[in-house]
Amino acid sequence: MTIKKIKYHRVYEDVIEQIEKLILEGNLAPGDVLPTERELAQAFGISRGTLREAFRILEREGLIETRPGGGRFLNKNLSKAEDKTRILDNIERATIIELLEAREIFETGIVELAALRATEQDILEIESALEKWGTIDTESDDPVSPDQAFHLSIAKATHNVVLVNLIDLNMDLLKRTATKTVEIPGRRNEVYKEHFNIFQAIKERDPLKAKETLLYHLKQVKQNIQMK
């Protein structure tokens, strides 16, 4: 069987699509055992942790069955388009939660370093990105790009190209996170205030406050994602 490596930003879609492809090509049928976790993770080009999370949701949806000591089996085919959409949405939500957990680790360091290294020009650029978020038009073609610009401007203020690239690599998931929460009544104003507090901490050159305000922001985002 042929399995293509997965691009990280579409992992939750591609896991389903490639399993579906295997079914359509006749390589998998209900009752068949799936390749091992290690084989699939290596073939897809994703972490085993991400694969386990995808399988956990697929099991809950009844598509995959895990038998103790016997591996994972295909339990049924995807019968309806809406089933696939619902499953993809659940996997997307789980992937975003993983990103938020990762951001608690790496982005706290970014805001702390930005608070220590930001130049006056950096402060102006962060403020500019913040104000664009404050006047965001939810009816525009891309209502969440200011959120991405804000976090990227902070990363640039660290003057560390690796950290900038780290944020840049996760831009797609940052956008999907914002897309899932921007339409919640009152949430846009809350995000602006949370971003403003992060900006103020960086402007005041207070790394501890910057870390605390970012963690509060991520906590609020996670709560909103889990409620949807």
Side-chain angles (χ1 to χ4, degrees), residues 126-173:
I126 297 171
E127 186 173 25
S128 175
L130 173 68
E131 292 310 314
K132 286 178 182 177
W133 174 260
T135 57
I136 188 173
D137 178 8
T138 56
E139 299 300 321
S140 70
D141 292 335
D142 190 2
V144 297
S145 59
D147 181 74
Q148 298 167 275
F150 177 74
H151 290 284
L152 187 60
S153 67
I154 293 175
K156 289 178 178 177
T158 67
H159 297 273
N160 183 310
V161 68
V162 175
L163 295 177
V164 174
N165 288 338
L166 191 59
I167 292 293
D168 200 37
L169 284 170
N170 288 287
M171 274 297 176
D172 185 73
L173 276 175

Side-chain angles (χ1 to χ4, degrees), residues 79-154:
S79 56
K80 301 178 183 177
E82 53 265 32
D83 287 343
K84 181 178 177 181
T85 299
R86 185 183 68 254
I87 292 170
L88 288 175
D89 186 65
N90 287 340
I91 293 178
E92 180 181 52
R93 183 180 289 105
T95 306
I96 289 172
I97 294 298
E98 280 194 351
L99 173 67
L100 291 171
E101 290 176 351
R103 287 177 65 186
E104 290 176 359
I105 298 171
F106 70 78
E107 205 166 341
T108 48
I110 288 175
V111 295
E112 287 179 310
L113 202 55
L116 296 172
R117 292 185 178 177
T119 64
E120 289 303 317
Q121 182 59 39
D122 292 329
I123 296 295
L124 290 174
E125 290 182 8
I126 297 171
E127 186 173 25
S128 175
L130 173 68
E131 292 310 314
K132 286 178 182 177
W133 174 260
T135 57
I136 188 173
D137 178 8
T138 56
E139 299 300 321
S140 70
D141 292 335
D142 190 2
V144 297
S145 59
D147 181 74
Q148 298 167 275
F150 177 74
H151 290 284
L152 187 60
S153 67
I154 293 175

Side-chain angles (χ1 to χ4, degrees), residues 186-200:
R187 182 57 191 154
R188 183 171 66 84
N189 290 333
E190 291 174 355
V191 171
Y192 176 77
K193 291 175 183 177
E194 291 161 20
H195 281 185
F196 178 80
N197 290 336
I198 295 169
F199 164 69
Q200 278 296 110

Side-chain angles (χ1 to χ4, degrees), residues 61 71 75 83 101 154 180 191 201 221 224:
E61 297 292 335
N75 199 37
D83 287 343
E101 290 176 351
I154 293 175
K180 279 192 170 293
V191 171
V221 174
N224 279 278

